[in-house]
Amino acid sequence: QSVLTQPPSASGTPGQKVTISCSGSSSNIGGNFISWYQFLPGTAPKLLIYSSNQRPSGVPDRFSGSKSGTSASLAISGLQSEDDTHYYCAAWDASLNSWVFGGGTKLTVL
Amino acid sequence: HLQLQESGPGLVKPSETLSLTCSVSNGSINTWSYYWGWIRQPPGKGLEWIGTIYYSGSAHYNPSLKSRVTMSVDTSKNQFSLKLTSVTAADTAVYYCAREMYMDAFDIWGQGTMVTVSS
């Protein structure tokens, strides 16, 4: 059971916009930064969003992050076939004194 | 750009010690700006943070693993390492090393290495 809650799956068609949610508590998302990662098989995981809403250089602006209270979202617009993979959220938890992750969302591009 | 690469045995016997090393290339581990961490993912399960270490050697571990984990840094080799003692099948996982922007995000990851605990 992951501390952060993500939907196990999401889907969309090419060109559409998809949003993946991540729900937590005041000790993690509510009080700290959220980050988002893309996991592609056989490659190093990739940071998509840091500081809750900032994109590292090289990450397309199709990816955006937001946070409100104890929840956060990753939005992917202009969906492409290469976006078909797993996405995870993460945050520092001040109560657990530990990094915590979401259970992951498998995005399917139909 | 900076790269990380995990190395170590892919098979460890139960009750023994798992030892992994992360080699940092195209950049220095000796930087005040970043920390260095280990994260694992058991097959079919979620991600679990193991611990984080600073180039000075100061480390912080996941409370659930703290009694079995030791991390170290070798600045002369530009490497950091993980030791996990008394392993069981539950420690079977893909182990990733990553660079941490302190309490913000893990911005660079290694490709991961699969470690199986089995006799």
Side-chain angles (χ1 to χ4, degrees):
Chain A
Q1 187 83 359
S2 300
V3 174
L4 304 182
T5 301
Q6 295 180 239
S9 63
S11 63
T13 56
Q16 270 192 331
K17 178 179 179 179
V18 167
T19 299
I20 297 172
S21 63
C22 179
S23 177
S25 68
S26 58
S27 63
N28 43 65
I29 296 177
N32 295 291
F33 291 127
I34 185 103
S35 50
W36 290 91
Y37 305 88
Q38 181 187 60
F39 276 60
L40 279 163
T43 68
K46 180 181 181 181
L47 174 67
L48 296 175
I49 299 290
Y50 68 98
S51 298
S52 302
N53 59 12
Q54 300 298 304
R55 270 188 317 276
S57 60
V59 173
D61 59 5
R62 303 188 295 108
F63 295 90
S64 63
S66 63
K67 187 181 92 165
S68 178
T70 59
S71 293
S73 295
L74 171 71
I76 309 172
S77 60
L79 211 54
Q80 300 178 3
S81 57
E82 55 260 40
D83 300 332
D84 188 312
T85 191
H86 290 85
Y87 296 85
Y88 292 85
C89 59
W92 177 259
D93 191 298
S95 292
L96 297 175
N97 210 19
S98 174
W99 278 94
V100 292
F101 292 88
T105 298
K106 171 61 170 71
L107 174 62
T108 300
V109 180
L110 303 168
Chain B
H1 61 282
L2 187 136
Q3 291 182 304
L4 304 178
Q5 179 66 57
E6 306 89 351
S7 61
L11 181 64
V12 181
K13 290 182 169 51
S15 80
E16 295 190 343
T17 297
L18 180 159
S19 296
L20 295 174
T21 296
C22 182
S23 298
V24 180
S25 59
N26 300 325
S28 176
I29 199 171
N30 220 354
T31 171
W32 64 269
S33 307
Y34 296 99
Y35 290 67
W36 308 92
W38 289 96
I39 297 144
R40 69 180 182 179
Q41 184 171 32
K45 295 188 178 181
L47 296 163
E48 180 179 36
W49 172 70
I50 300 170
T52 291
I53 192 164
Y54 197 47
Y55 77 92
S56 64
S58 172
H60 181 199
Y61 305 134
N62 186 323
S64 69
L65 297 170
K66 187 176 182 178
S67 63
R68 298 194 293 130
V69 173
T70 303
M71 293 176 62
S72 59
V73 171
D74 187 335
T75 54
S76 67
K77 294 182 178 178
N78 224 28
Q79 296 175 337
F80 62 104
S81 299
L82 168 71
K83 289 189 186 303
L84 182 65
T85 62
S86 305
V87 297
T88 69
D91 296 308
T92 293
V94 176
Y95 285 76
Y96 297 96
C97 60
R99 188 176 78 170
E100 180 186 333
M101 299 158 60
Y102 187 60
M103 292 175 64
D104 187 344
F106 295 95
D107 66 335
I108 299 175
W109 295 60
Q111 284 200 319
T113 187
M114 180 68 200
V115 179
T116 301
V117 178
S118 174
S119 55

